[in-house]
Amino acid sequence: MTSFVPLTTVFPGLVWLMAALALVQGLRRAALWRVGAAAPVAWLDGLAKLPRRYLVDVHHVVARDAYASRMHAVVAGGLLVASILTALAILPPLADFRPYWFLVALAFGVTAVGSLLVGARRYPQKQKRLSAGRFQILPFLLVAYAVGGTITALILALGGGGGLFGSVALALAAAGGLGLAFEVRHGPMRHAAAGALHLVAHPRPGRFEGRPDTALQPLDLDAPRLGSEMPADFTWNRLLSYDACVSCGRCETACPAFAAGQPLNPKKLIQDLVAGLSPAEPAYAGNPYPGGWAAEGARGALARLIGPDARIHPDTLWSCTTCRACVEECPMMIEHVDAVVSLRRHETLERGALPEKAVVPVTELRQSGDPGGRPLGARTDFAAGLDLPRIAECEPVDVLLWLGEGAYDLRYGRSLRALVRLLREAGVDFAVLGAEERDTGDLARRLGDEATFQALARENIATLAKYRFKRIVTADPHALHALRNEYPAFGGHYTVTHHTALLLELIRAGKLNPGRLPDLSVTYHDPCYLARYNGETEAPRAVLDAIGVTRREMTRSGRRAMCCGGGGGAPVSDVPGERRIPDIRMAQAAETGAGIVAVACPSCTAMLEGVTDRKAEIRDVAELLLQAVEAGR
């Protein structure tokens, strides 16, 4: 094989052939993305920032699994360096420079080590969260390319001509290398090509700017089709992002619905979106949706995605709590929740196919501005005897206190009463809207009813425009997220603060002087819409530390905390599972041995207090702080 063409030419030529094959396979795959809708992409900015996005942002997530981080760094780095160095050896000065080939052999040797690390996760027994299928051949292709490349490079470094041994080594490298290139279209190497392009054309570039980019994008209600019914309804870069999935199963492990045995597996959901786009897609080989749902459904750009006979059952769609745990854990930074909401929008707005138990609260939101159909003026009933000021009677004020839906709940009314008493104790100039406060529309938006959300948003924005205040404070992270991050798209720009952040300010300013409560053992439960959606994890903990409690962290905490099960309309969707999500979360809290679970969200309060066999007491951070302030007098 090398008698007529020097090995120094054939070996680099092999890498160039691999690149050509990978390009062809990649272009064939890219043809599928073109069926998606148009999307604006800042190409030059994305390309310039690709190295940082890959080496910093992606690897920040990858590094949470130490083994996977080392494996990925070694195999990906070695593969890339070895291939580039070999390709450059087509230049005569390098081809004949024997020390250069020692460097190439070293790079291939590193790749071989990484290949063995890849194989160790799949053989002799595959890790449960990983998908099998064509991924099972990946270690063999990597080993063949790396070992063959190492031997070939060493032969050239030692000045050998190759002979039969060199031909065998080159053939081994060719089998592995061309196999890897071939897998760019449908196999496990697709994520490498699609992943890099996805990081350039990411639909949420703000995620790479060091700030939460979690607001849902407004839907054009005059569009001919609302939401996504078929793959072609997604933008092309969303379709690209689903191809970036490496089927690692981290999202599956983090998903509260999957843990509860509800029919949702975010990994399979993404793979169903991928498979729905192409009839030629290999069969899914990972963990299924819990409950045995295994329908295949039609494939193709115009194939319906949701339905009892489609690839994705409606119960799968409605099981999602929109907690973003899957998004937080995804090393390729795929936006699972955006896909869920887009599919829900079509089900709700085009087909009127809301879950049965969600129809009433959504209808009440449309008609009365509250999901329970309760009088808006009754929102302040919790404050009987507290003389709650209304902004219409005392503007301007420093703080507008947004009460949220939790104000109607008798239990959470205690938390709000504690907060109001603390504000008075600190001398804060505040007021509430009273009967003028409508629901922010968070529930409607997460259930796909964008029309109701936009109507409520505009009504609330018009109401807020009548009054003068410096900032909005709320104890409801769902309201905080809507007001802070989603209302600006409709002209509502406000400074919005969570109540725990304000309470911390007041403590540090000396306006609240709490005593110490060292006898209390407390574990703090992070609300999804505060921690993951808005990045606030420290203020609640700092308040607890300021009152001297013994604070114990759950295994899953901060931005990686487990959902209580109360978001995304899940309580009204009410999809059955094997367990309840709040039961799982309270079991995690019990592992800490803490007697109190501190919360900072009305939904979390309701969900966790609903656990019948819990040993710990549920207390809002404001309630604990008020107890400390009273103890310090």
Side-chain angles (χ1 to χ4, degrees):
M1 180 177 178
T2 59
S3 300
F4 304 102
V5 182
L7 190 59
T8 53
T9 301
V10 176
F11 191 25
L14 167 64
V15 176
W16 285 104
L17 181 60
M18 286 171 51
L21 177 57
L23 178 61
V24 169
Q25 293 291 76
L27 290 174
R28 294 177 71 188
R29 190 71 199 181
L32 297 175
W33 308 330
R34 295 180 61 187
V35 304
V41 173
W43 285 106
L44 292 179
D45 183 64
L47 286 168
K49 294 178 179 177
L50 175 59
R52 176 175 174 81
R53 291 178 180 182
Y54 179 77
L55 295 172
V56 178
D57 296 286
V58 167
H59 273 271
H60 174 73
V61 180
V62 174
R64 294 172 184 171
D65 181 335
Y67 183 94
S69 178
R70 291 191 296 269
M71 175 199 76
H72 192 263
V74 173
V75 73
L79 182 68
L80 189 62
V81 172
S83 299
I84 291 175
L85 290 177
T86 305
L88 291 176
I90 201 170
L91 301 174
L94 296 178
D96 297 327
F97 188 49
R98 288 164 58 181
Y100 183 80
W101 287 111
F102 275 114
L103 182 61
V104 174
L106 177 61
F108 271 110
V110 170
T111 308
V113 172
S115 303
L116 295 175
L117 293 175
V118 173
R121 297 210 305 169
R122 297 183 174 276
Y123 297 97
Q125 185 174 353
K126 176 183 68 65
Q127 290 184 7
K128 185 176 179 180
R129 65 179 171 88
L130 300 177
S131 290
R134 295 174 78 144
F135 278 91
Q136 292 298 97
I137 69 170
L138 180 60
F140 297 102
L141 295 177
L142 288 169
V143 167
Y145 181 53
V147 172
T150 302
I151 296 172
T152 304
L154 284 174
I155 290 172
L156 292 171
L158 296 171
L164 178 60
F165 188 57
S167 297
V168 171
L170 184 63
L172 184 63
L178 294 175
L180 290 171
F182 182 78
E183 293 296 322
V184 166
R185 184 185 180 199
H186 286 303
M189 290 305 292
R190 179 178 65 204
H191 86 277
L197 189 57
H198 161 59
L199 293 177
V200 173
H202 199 284
R204 288 187 179 272
R207 289 189 63 185
F208 303 103
E209 305 302 326
R211 58 180 174 83
D213 184 1
T214 53
L216 293 172
Q217 296 303 306
L219 183 65
D220 179 4
L221 297 175
D222 295 323
R225 184 192 299 273
L226 302 178
S228 298
E229 178 186 22
M230 57 190 71
D233 291 331
F234 289 97
T235 60
W236 74 267
N237 59 339
R238 297 276 182 183
L239 297 177
L240 160 66
S241 73
Y242 307 147
D243 268 353
C245 174
V246 67
S247 293
C248 67
R250 294 195 189 194
C251 59
E252 170 187 303
T253 302
C255 178
F258 182 82
Q262 293 176 277
L264 170 62
N265 179 341
K267 179 177 73 172
K268 188 176 189 311
L269 176 69
I270 294 300
Q271 290 305 311
D272 275 335
L273 294 175
V274 171
L277 181 62
S278 170
E281 186 66 22
Y284 174 72
N287 290 323
Y289 295 125
W293 177 256
E296 289 298 324
R299 297 189 184 192
L302 303 181
R304 182 167 56 91
L305 288 166
I306 304 296
D309 58 342
R311 296 200 65 81
I312 303 171
H313 193 277
D315 283 353
T316 293
L317 196 63
W318 301 113
S319 294
C320 179
T321 67
T322 69
C323 72
R324 287 183 68 87
C326 53
V327 180
E328 180 70 23
E329 295 301 321
C330 178
M332 295 310 301
M333 309 187 82
I334 298 169
E335 294 286 340
H336 311 64
V337 174
D338 286 355
V340 168
V341 173
S342 186
L343 292 165
R344 285 182 175 184
R345 283 171 169 175
H346 183 84
E347 289 291 289
T348 299
L349 297 173
E350 293 279 10
R351 302 186 63 243
L354 274 166
E356 182 179 354
K357 293 182 180 180
V359 172
V360 171
V362 169
T363 302
E364 292 291 359
L365 275 171
R366 294 168 181 168
Q367 295 177 350
S368 65
D370 174 73
R374 296 157 293 203
L376 298 182
R379 193 185 300 270
T380 56
D381 287 356
F382 76 90
L386 287 182
D387 188 25
L388 201 61
R390 270 61 167 180
I391 194 170
E393 303 166 358
C394 60
E395 68 157 335
V397 295
D398 290 337
V399 169
L400 173 62
L401 180 60
W402 189 277
L403 300 174
E405 186 191 357
Y408 290 106
D409 180 72
L410 288 176
R411 166 61 187 90
Y412 201 73
R414 299 207 310 266
S415 301
L416 288 176
R417 288 180 67 89
L419 175 59
V420 170
R421 290 176 61 186
L422 288 168
L423 295 180
R424 289 197 179 281
E425 176 81 15
V428 176
D429 178 26
F430 76 99
V432 299
L433 283 171
E436 294 184 275
E437 181 186 319
R438 295 175 179 82
D439 192 273
T440 61
D442 168 79
L443 174 65
R445 188 168 227 197
R446 267 69 205 170
L447 287 172
D449 189 357
E450 180 74 3
T452 297
F453 167 77
Q454 291 192 17
L456 287 168
R458 291 190 171 94
E459 289 175 347
N460 281 323
I461 290 169
T463 298
L464 293 171
K466 297 189 301 183
Y467 301 115
R468 291 170 294 166
F469 52 87
K470 293 180 180 178
R471 61 173 164 171
I472 298 173
V473 171
T474 181
D476 185 346
H478 296 264
L480 176 139
H481 176 67
L483 293 165
R484 176 190 284 177
N485 300 318
E486 298 191 332
Y487 276 29
F490 304 94
H493 298 273
Y494 316 107
T495 299
V496 189
T497 305
H498 190 248
H499 76 302
T500 57
L502 175 63
L503 294 176
L504 181 60
E505 289 179 27
L506 298 174
I507 293 171
R508 289 177 172 173
K511 295 182 179 181
L512 288 176
N513 298 292
R516 310 281 290 180
L517 304 174
D519 295 334
L520 298 185
S521 61
V522 177
T523 185
Y524 173 67
H525 164 76
D526 289 271
C528 303
Y529 275 72
L530 186 62
R532 274 190 288 274
Y533 274 79
N534 286 276
E536 180 61 83
T537 59
E538 295 307 314
R541 289 173 169 80
V543 172
L544 294 174
D545 291 343
I547 62 177
V549 299
T550 301
R551 184 164 59 83
R552 302 172 181 176
E553 288 288 1
M554 285 184 258
T555 302
R556 292 182 60 174
S557 62
R559 293 175 62 96
R560 304 183 72 187
M562 184 175 179
C563 179
C564 72
V572 296
S573 299
D574 197 25
V575 178
E578 297 171 0
R579 302 175 64 189
R580 295 175 66 249
I581 295 173
D583 293 349
I584 299 174
R585 186 54 171 166
M586 284 304 294
Q588 295 170 355
E591 292 174 356
T592 68
I596 295 173
V597 177
V599 291
C601 169
S603 295
C604 297
T605 302
M607 297 302 292
L608 298 182
E609 280 217 329
V611 176
T612 56
D613 61 347
R614 59 184 171 83
K615 302 293 189 297
E617 184 182 2
I618 311 299
R619 302 278 300 278
D620 189 275
V621 172
E623 297 175 62
L624 291 169
L625 177 57
L626 179 61
Q627 180 181 344
V629 168
E630 291 175 340
R633 288 175 180 161

